[in-house]
Amino acid sequence: MRFVVVVKQVPDTAEVRIDEEKGTLIREGVPSILNPFDEYAIEEALRWRDELGGSVIVVTMGPPQAEAVLREAVAMGADEAILLSDRAFAGADTLATSNTLARAVSRIGDVDVVITGKQAIDGDTAQTGPSIAASLDWPQVTFVGKVRQLGDGVMVAERYVEDGCEVIRASLPVVITLLKDANTPRLPSLRGKMKARKMEIPVWGIDDLGLEPGKVGLDGSPTRVVKVATPEASSGGEIHRGEPGELAALIVDRLLGGEVE
Amino acid sequence: MASIEVRRDACVGCGACVPACPFGVISMEDGLAVIGEACTLCGACESACPYGAIIIRTGEAGGGDLSEYSGVMVLAEQRNNEVDHSTLELLGEASRLAEVSGEKVSVLLMTARPGNWPERLISHGADIVYVAAVPELERYRTEPFSRIAERVIREKKPAVVLAAATTTGRDLMPRIAKYLETGLTADCTELAIDDETGVLLQTRPAFGGNILATIVCSDTRPQMATVRPKVMKALEPDSSRKGVVEEIGILPGDLESRTEILEWLPLEEGEVDISEAEVIVSGGRGLKSPENFALLRELAGLLGGSVGASRAAVDAGWIEYPHQVGQTGKTVQPRIYLACGISGAVQHRVGMQSSDRILALNKDENAPIFEFCDHGYVGDLFEVLPLVIKEIRRRLG
Amino acid sequence: MNYFLSEELRDIKELCAEIAEKYIIPARAELDEENRFPSEIMKVMADSDLCGIYIPEAYGGSAEMFGGGSLALCVATEELSRACGGVAVSFAANALGAMPILISGSEDQKKKYLPLLASGSRMAAFALTEPEAGSDAGGVKTRAVRDGDHYVINGTKQWITNGGEAQIYTVIAQTDPSRGARGLSAFIMEEGTEGFSYGKKENKMGIRASATRELIFEDCRVPVENLIAREGFGFIVAMKTLNRSRPGVAAQAVGIAQGALDEAAGYASQRVQFGRRIDSFQGIQFMLADMATQIEAARALVYSVARMIDAGEKKYEKESAMAKVFASDVAMRVTTDAVQILGGYGYMKEYPVEKMMRDAKITQIYEGTNQIQRAVIASALIKETAGGKR
Ligand SMILES: Cc1cc2nc3c(=O)[nH]c(=O)nc-3n(C[C@H](O)[C@H](O)[C@H](O)COP(=O)(O)OP(=O)(O)OC[C@H]3O[C@@H](n4cnc5c(N)ncnc54)[C@H](O)[C@@H]3O)c2cc1C
Ligand SMILES: Cc1cc2nc3c(=O)[nH]c(=O)nc-3n(C[C@H](O)[C@H](O)[C@H](O)COP(=O)(O)OP(=O)(O)OC[C@H]3O[C@@H](n4cnc5c(N)ncnc54)[C@H](O)[C@@H]3O)c2cc1C
Ligand SMILES: Cc1cc2nc3c(=O)[nH]c(=O)nc-3n(C[C@H](O)[C@H](O)[C@H](O)COP(=O)(O)OP(=O)(O)OC[C@H]3O[C@@H](n4cnc5c(N)ncnc54)[C@H](O)[C@@H]3O)c2cc1C
């Protein structure tokens, strides 16, 4: 069984703080980490490989320093790692990202299962997995909380939705996006860490993947971020007084309004 | 190939771009902004620069005649053939957006049995209801639903397609967007039409809620977005509204699927673990008795959240220890934390201070919690909470 | 302070810190409260390849990669102790149990036992102490009598760390009572050997996650090939073992102290009294400064001694004793001060520092009390003076 796990390097959003005076993000010293959801994706692949044999290949698209997350995956036990890096890939939205990742999966070849994390903690879209599946024209199972069975051309998995769980059978090859419920990621091992440090990681660019410039990076991205704002600074609470009815209405505005201020 | 450039003649070295960059890759060298290697061309600095000194150049894009597209289409979500409330919210929002341009609102309902839903969707704001109804569409499955939706969108050419950011919408929409080679914005909390260009401004939280990004899809159609449930407001139903219902035929091959639902396991009664919860309604000594926690349970249930507690409430035996938040309880990080009758002792605070939003209801205006919450409400919880519950029921219909 | 640890040693440190954060810190209060052995955490350490860091590659370990293994063991023990001294000693006592085989075992014994320990599939313990033989190790009463190709062993060992959890024991017993300490011999004993059973598990003040038990030998038959070195060499084997392992206890002490300082500094930056953070009071600042300085001095000494051992120095009895005395006294002072800085909260079980204070105490007692260590240091000094080395 051949697994590809796609992983992303992200800024540790838990460390991001807001400058309360300027209302901007403070990223000073915010470390880059392996997207936390992707640890679970790696673990799931390793478990099934350990049980069924085969190999786990981790792939990331990002700047040269994104290599660090591949080494982390190798330290956990991944067999191979590939970095997709090219100036042409920069500025990708999920469509361009998945074009690039899907092409890498095709080039790797003979892949049975592609696993992604549920979502990346920076972009937060959860779109990359389904979009890869569409690019490859493979079936997809998203929000997987448990992979029950794998082998003989099929997978049975539990997909967690708002009010319950669907037990889904899918034919292979398949793309799945994985929730944290699925497993407990292992720690890297000492030997894994050493292997990871020494491993030569191949870098594939746009030419290696045979992609046209219009399909990747900013040029291949229909969406553009035009503005980034910080939600209303969360310091120095606003204190509301009034009749119970008024207060209730204000509270409900906040409760239902989510982040919209 | 796309590129980013700092115009040396225009950059005054004001540094406005440095904190604007969500990835922290801009630095100032010799009074000029320098863009680092890890730049993702996200565009945040371009819009932050007061001098127009940062320019992102894109290659060829788009193509096709964008003017062929008009109107807003909502992809309805149904469970057991009942349309989800999120769809009504989207229709409300779609109506507001379409009003600006005078265009039509349509909705695509894929179901086994439509019942009286087409009429009800019209009463909630739809001008056209497309109905694809065959028994195989009883339950959502990626391939049949995305295939049918793709075909309807290609045929009807809406300028905007919306779906709820639920597990269904987030499974379906990226698939369709890829088939259509168009852009998709995730989990929006605000939508608007740009006055000048007429494009859809799609605003969404990212970076774990630390920033709000506004995203556009200028050169391809439709402009697709998933929208966070419970954010937009549904219209009051109006049965005098007129609209058309159009049946969508099913083609051979539409219903083929490489996935199959073997079994459906409904969620067991009981709530979400507080350390995973998105919304926590928490109670303290101010609740006075175990019975009053029922109020919090009801409220949490309405919000799809969980109930938390201070140690004082747990020690009093009003609620079990797994609900305790704080130093000796759990550390939680919900999107919203509503503290009712909790004073805000430091041992409580350490467990909940990284919540995105802290709301506090307390009758003592000198309670320490008012010093660090985002929104404080000075009032008697026994008076306010029942009204909160009533108001939520009213708004959610 | 930058000790210029190699990349490999930093790997160990990172890994142990991760284990501490993910597994030990969430569990430590409960393990302490319930007096429970951390089997699951031991399994995690085995899976992470940490069990073989002091064992040579020839026997399944990776000591060469870290330049010998002594410093590696210290770095690991220190990092684990920062979170919990009890979990850390459960790990480190394996090395203590393995040390007699590593230092004085035959090739066959090494080949048979060390790979099992390196992989973490088995645990080890070292059994010297008896009810009547504590500091006076020469007073061991457990008797081993040769009977054909076996020794028959009778007696009781007391307070054996990892007792009941380990499968491989190195036991010091008397083969020739007429010769006192020179009549002692060291044996390898496997769990399940007929006549070998466990006594009660002790209810301790600190390091309660670790298991401390009696070992009971009743006509227990051990094959002669399990004799380590030769008859009469037991005392020497024991002393060499302890000399080699004491920097480990010292590292444990440094870790516990560091953990307490981290807690105290963190708390002092949060706690407000008289309208100010308490770390703005000079009284608190000077305490924190002294704690940090003492810890750094202890760490520097421990690392130096470990590096000296790794570099192949043969004589390090005095230095190893110094490291243990100094670091354990520092741990006791620093943890006591940490409780003081947390005030009443520090005295409560909800905060980890009272446990650290209880855990710290053992480092002044086991593997030779600090009085005995001072005696060792003094006698070395006296010898040096007499030999004109000073
Ligand atoms: C503030 C902001 C808002 C954005 N909003 C949108 C938007 O609404 N729509 C849009 O199309 N793009 C958006 N983007 C761009 C988007 O972040 C990138 O396309 C990104 O490469 C993938 O999306 P994601 O971060 O949301 O990942 P997700 O789709 O949430 O990630 C899911 C999984 O996909 C895999 N994955 C994601 N990225 C990579 C990668 N580079 N290499 C390998 N595996 C990967 C991982 O397994 C990950 O767990 C936004 C970017 C920013 C900075
Ligand atoms: C070692 C240690 C560990 C601790 N760990 C924790 C922990 O993990 N979690 C934790 O929560 N605490 C913890 N505590 C306890 C903490 O110090 C506080 O005592 C506790 O949080 C107080 O709980 P409270 O806010 O519910 O009660 P109180 O402090 O008594 O506050 C009750 C509040 O309710 C308000 N109120 C009363 N009636 C009404 C009404 N009708 N309407 C509106 N408001 C009303 C009052 O104005 C008051 O502010 C710990 C303490 C110690 C010493
Ligand atoms: C939790 C725990 C775990 C242990 N684990 C192990 C283990 O794994 N293996 C093992 O073999 N043993 C183990 N021990 C035993 C430990 O090594 C002994 O407790 C220690 O050597 C001291 O012996 P004692 O307790 O009999 O004290 P004693 O020797 O009775 O000493 C009592 C006091 O007298 C002092 N004293 C004794 N002799 C002198 C002297 N000559 N000059 C000055 N002062 C003196 C001591 O310093 C001490 O203060 C463990 C003990 C404990 C408590």
Side-chain angles (χ1 to χ4, degrees):
Chain A
M1 191 84 48
R2 203 153 145 103
F3 298 86
V4 166
V5 184
V6 291
V7 300
K8 186 180 186 190
Q9 188 180 46
V10 296
D12 188 348
T13 55
E15 303 275 322
V16 174
R17 292 278 167 272
I18 314 280
D19 181 327
E20 300 188 347
E21 264 164 38
K22 298 205 205 92
T24 52
L25 289 182
I26 306 172
R27 309 145 328 247
E28 202 115 288
V30 175
S32 287
I33 56 169
L34 170 62
N35 180 35
F37 287 97
D38 300 351
E39 277 181 44
Y40 296 78
I42 297 166
E43 174 65 30
E44 197 63 30
L46 295 177
R47 281 188 189 191
W48 287 103
R49 177 208 59 191
D50 292 347
E51 189 176 322
L52 305 171
S55 63
V56 174
I57 302 154
V58 283
V59 176
T60 192
M61 181 192 87
Q65 58 270 30
E67 194 193 75
V69 298
L70 296 176
R71 295 199 191 274
E72 262 185 69
V74 171
M76 283 174 73
D79 302 284
E80 286 172 55
I82 299 163
L83 173 66
L84 311 178
S85 194
D86 195 310
R87 275 309 284 167
F89 296 158
D93 72 358
T94 56
L95 188 72
T97 300
S98 56
N99 281 338
T100 312
L101 293 172
R103 184 57 68 86
V105 172
S106 304
R107 181 167 171 201
I108 289 166
D110 292 325
V111 175
D112 299 287
V113 183
V114 171
I115 310 184
T116 83
K118 179 196 146 209
Q119 70 193 68
I121 60 169
D122 55 348
D124 263 348
T125 68
Q127 291 176 177
T128 304
S131 196
I132 294 174
S135 298
L136 294 166
D137 191 27
W138 289 6
Q140 71 194 40
V141 185
T142 52
F143 304 103
V144 169
K146 185 175 180 177
V147 178
R148 284 193 181 178
Q149 186 191 318
L150 195 59
D152 297 329
V154 292
M155 174 192 74
V156 177
E158 295 179 8
R159 175 170 186 263
Y160 291 2
V161 299
E162 284 78 6
D163 54 352
C165 150
E166 298 169 346
V167 182
I168 294 188
R169 175 165 58 205
S171 62
L172 300 187
V174 69
V175 175
I176 65 176
T177 76
L178 203 76
L179 301 176
K180 290 188 177 177
D181 306 71
N183 57 50
T184 310
R186 69 192 65 186
L187 292 173
S189 68
L190 264 186
R191 276 178 238 279
K193 269 172 166 295
M194 288 175 198
K195 174 178 166 197
R197 217 180 16 246
K198 297 198 183 101
M199 184 183 250
E200 290 268 355
I201 294 182
V203 181
W204 293 355
I206 184 162
D207 296 334
D208 302 296
L209 292 176
L211 281 161
E212 302 151 39
K215 290 280 175 203
V216 302
L218 192 59
D219 295 348
S221 296
T223 67
R224 283 288 300 280
V225 179
V226 290
K227 192 174 126 208
V228 173
T230 332
E232 160 187 311
S234 58
S235 69
E238 223 180 290
I239 306 299
H240 308 270
R241 295 179 180 79
E243 289 304 307
E246 292 165 21
L247 292 178
L250 287 172
I251 292 177
V252 175
D253 285 347
R254 292 291 160 199
L255 289 178
L256 296 185
E259 252 108 354
V260 203
E261 300 291 333
Chain B
M1 183 176 115
S3 63
I4 184 166
E5 188 196 325
V6 179
R7 281 172 49 203
R8 303 181 65 97
D9 52 332
C11 178
V12 302
C14 72
C17 50
V18 176
C21 174
F23 300 95
V25 302
I26 308 184
S27 55
M28 300 302 297
E29 283 170 29
D30 301 330
L32 270 187
V34 176
I35 317 275
E37 267 295 294
C39 170
T40 69
L41 303 179
C42 79
C45 54
E46 190 183 22
S47 49
C49 176
Y51 303 94
I54 301 180
I55 298 172
I56 296 180
R57 293 203 174 80
T58 58
E60 294 301 300
D65 186 359
L66 303 187
S67 65
E68 286 176 17
Y69 293 81
S70 90
V72 181
M73 182 184 285
V74 171
L75 304 186
E77 182 163 338
Q78 55 85 11
R79 232 160 287 185
N80 306 321
N81 302 306
E82 293 297 323
V83 171
D84 195 68
H85 191 267
S86 58
T87 301
L88 308 182
E89 295 161 17
L90 291 180
L91 280 175
E93 185 61 17
S95 303
R96 279 181 284 274
L97 294 172
E99 215 168 10
V100 182
S101 55
E103 294 177 0
K104 299 243 181 275
V105 173
S106 61
V107 53
L108 169 60
L109 176 61
M110 295 177 271
T111 182
R113 274 172 285 121
N116 64 350
W117 273 106
E119 294 73 40
R120 290 173 70 184
L121 292 170
I122 291 171
S123 76
H124 272 97
D127 299 304
I128 312 169
V129 183
Y130 301 111
V131 182
V134 284
E136 289 84 351
L137 298 179
E138 169 101 30
R139 197 166 269 156
Y140 172 73
R141 278 172 308 149
T142 311
E143 288 174 272
F145 279 64
S146 58
R147 229 176 258 130
I148 296 168
E150 180 203 353
R151 198 175 63 244
V152 174
I153 294 168
R154 279 193 197 279
E155 243 169 61
K156 309 296 176 189
K157 297 198 172 8
V160 173
V161 176
L162 304 179
T166 53
T167 53
T168 301
R170 302 186 96 174
D171 186 85
L172 175 65
M173 291 283 271
R175 190 111 190 165
I176 303 173
K178 171 61 201 171
Y179 291 156
L180 300 170
E181 292 285 333
T182 190
L184 171 61
T185 305
D187 205 22
C188 299
T189 53
E190 203 184 322
L191 297 172
I193 302 285
D194 187 278
D195 294 337
E196 278 169 37
T197 59
V199 302
L200 185 66
L201 299 173
Q202 311 163 80
T203 301
R204 56 174 305 244
F207 280 81
N210 282 312
I211 61 170
L212 284 172
T214 302
I215 291 167
V216 298
C217 170
S218 313
D219 304 324
T220 58
R221 289 291 179 275
Q223 308 162 80
M224 297 181 62
T226 58
V227 178
R228 187 175 288 186
K230 298 201 181 106
V231 172
M232 304 304 178
K233 292 197 177 62
L235 300 178
E236 293 291 335
D238 173 359
S239 55
S240 68
R241 276 193 53 114
K242 294 272 169 300
V244 264
V245 179
E246 185 183 323
E247 241 175 72
I248 298 294
I250 302 297
L251 300 182
D254 272 357
L255 301 173
E256 274 171 24
S257 175
R258 287 167 289 182
T259 60
E260 182 191 349
I261 301 177
L262 300 179
E263 206 183 335
W264 162 252
L265 310 168
L267 201 64
E268 282 177 28
E269 279 304 313
E271 338 153 13
V272 209
D273 173 8
I274 57 169
S275 37
E276 303 280 323
E278 290 259 301
V279 177
I280 295 176
V281 183
S282 210
R285 204 187 322 263
L287 252 75
K288 305 275 191 313
S289 79
E291 292 75 40
N292 293 325
F293 267 92
L295 271 179
L296 299 190
R297 287 215 177 80
E298 190 179 352
L299 180 54
L302 286 172
L303 299 166
S306 307
V307 176
S310 73
R311 186 165 104 169
V314 172
D315 285 352
W318 302 342
I319 184 162
E320 304 77 43
Y321 172 74
H323 295 267
Q324 183 176 319
V325 172
Q327 172 79 35
T328 40
K330 296 207 168 100
T331 300
V332 298
Q333 213 178 354
R335 217 155 41 73
I336 301 180
Y337 189 90
L338 171 62
C340 306
I342 292 179
S343 62
V346 62
Q347 293 84 8
H348 189 76
R349 180 179 179 171
V350 295
M352 43 72 89
Q353 61 193 2
S354 42
S355 308
D356 289 351
R357 283 278 174 288
I358 297 171
L359 315 183
L361 173 59
N362 197 302
K363 69 177 180 188
D364 172 10
E365 62 182 293
N366 295 319
I369 196 156
F370 287 141
E371 286 163 24
F372 63 89
C373 68
D374 300 298
H375 295 280
Y377 306 88
V378 184
D380 187 324
L381 67 93
F382 297 110
E383 289 170 13
V384 179
L385 279 186
L387 296 177
V388 167
I389 292 171
K390 215 168 123 193
E391 176 66 13
I392 291 185
R393 286 195 188 286
R394 194 184 68 77
R395 290 200 205 172
L396 293 184
Chain C
M1 197 161 139
N2 188 345
Y3 292 95
F4 295 96
L5 299 180
S6 65
E7 272 182 339
E8 287 78 8
L9 285 165
R10 272 182 280 144
D11 281 345
I12 293 182
K13 199 169 151 73
E14 256 174 50
L15 204 50
C16 290
E18 221 172 318
I19 292 173
E21 190 190 315
K22 289 212 174 110
Y23 294 91
I24 305 180
I25 291 177
R28 65 185 174 190
E30 210 173 291
L31 294 171
D32 177 57
E33 186 74 29
E34 296 172 6
N35 213 10
R36 194 172 81 233
F37 188 77
S39 307
E40 191 203 330
I41 300 174
M42 292 300 128
K43 167 94 175 43
V44 171
M45 304 222 254
D47 290 345
S48 302
D49 306 329
L50 284 166
C51 296
I53 55 177
Y54 61 92
I55 295 176
E57 279 158 14
Y59 311 111
S62 51
E64 288 86 347
M65 207 129 52
F66 312 107
S70 277
L71 185 54
L73 197 57
C74 284
V75 167
T77 307
E78 177 190 342
E79 205 56 44
L80 298 169
S81 301
R82 216 165 147 165
C84 176
V87 172
V89 72
S90 306
F91 165 76
N94 282 306
L96 178 66
M99 216 51 89
I101 306 177
L102 203 56
I103 297 175
S104 313
S106 67
E107 195 55 28
D108 285 348
Q109 288 168 342
K110 290 181 182 176
K111 284 227 162 74
K112 179 167 178 195
Y113 293 105
L114 295 180
L116 296 172
L117 297 173
S119 70
S121 65
R122 300 284 191 285
M123 297 200 13
F126 174 68
L128 170 64
T129 306
E130 296 180 3
E132 309 299 326
S135 299
D136 181 9
V140 163
K141 298 273 184 324
T142 294
R143 190 78 170 87
V145 180
R146 175 99 186 225
D147 177 20
D149 52 5
H150 280 79
Y151 283 93
V152 180
I153 300 187
N154 278 287
T156 300
K157 291 290 171 183
Q158 169 175 281
W159 300 340
I160 304 311
T161 304
N162 283 353
E165 305 294 340
Q167 296 77 29
I168 298 165
Y169 294 83
T170 44
V171 178
I172 306 296
Q174 188 55 266
T175 38
D176 186 353
S178 67
R179 302 190 63 205
R182 284 160 196 269
L184 295 178
S185 304
F187 298 91
I188 303 168
M189 201 131 22
E190 292 182 45
E191 185 177 59
T193 307
E194 213 186 308
F196 172 16
S197 63
Y198 303 117
K200 78 169 168 56
K201 183 170 170 177
E202 303 296 341
N203 186 8
K204 307 189 290 291
M205 170 187 191
I207 56 165
R208 290 167 57 83
S210 75
T212 312
R213 274 205 183 76
E214 270 178 344
L215 310 183
I216 300 162
F217 309 115
E218 291 163 311
D219 292 333
C220 182
R221 293 178 71 83
V222 178
V224 287
E225 57 272 22
N226 283 19
L227 172 69
I228 297 176
R230 281 182 278 142
E231 271 191 32
F233 276 66
F235 189 76
I236 294 171
V237 168
M239 289 309 118
K240 279 189 175 167
T241 290
L242 292 170
N243 286 341
R244 181 85 162 257
S245 74
R246 268 175 203 132
V249 178
Q252 183 194 16
V254 171
I256 294 172
Q258 185 66 50
L261 173 62
D262 296 344
E263 291 293 333
Y267 183 85
S269 71
Q270 298 266 319
R271 176 71 171 173
V272 173
Q273 286 294 282
F274 301 98
R276 288 158 62 187
R277 284 165 37 171
I278 62 167
D279 67 1
S280 69
F281 300 122
Q282 202 177 53
I284 299 285
Q285 289 172 353
F286 283 10
M287 282 174 83
L288 289 169
D290 282 342
M291 289 156 81
T293 308
Q294 294 176 61
I295 293 171
E296 209 57 76
R299 181 179 293 124
L301 179 55
V302 175
Y303 285 13
S304 301
V305 175
R307 281 186 158 135
M308 187 171 134
I309 299 173
D310 282 341
E313 173 62 54
K314 291 281 172 294
K315 265 182 68 76
Y316 46 78
E317 180 184 37
K318 178 185 71 178
E319 291 77 8
S320 140
M322 286 172 164
K324 197 246 168 193
V325 170
F326 188 75
S328 60
D329 285 353
V330 162
M332 204 58 237
R333 270 198 305 273
V334 166
T335 53
T336 310
D337 284 351
V339 172
Q340 191 67 22
I341 288 175
L342 269 79
Y345 292 99
Y347 201 68
M348 299 296 143
K349 294 219 170 191
E350 275 91 349
Y351 286 83
V353 289
E354 62 81 33
K355 168 181 177 294
M356 291 170 171
M357 181 173 158
R358 288 185 281 114
D359 287 354
K361 186 65 208 173
I362 191 62
T363 61
Q364 295 179 310
I365 298 173
Y366 61 15
E367 296 198 24
T369 66
N370 280 9
Q371 284 76 11
I372 296 301
Q373 302 310 302
R374 289 186 165 91
V376 168
I377 297 163
S379 87
L381 259 179
I382 290 162
K383 260 189 236 152
E384 282 170 17
T385 309
K389 257 169 87 178
R390 306 227 110 225

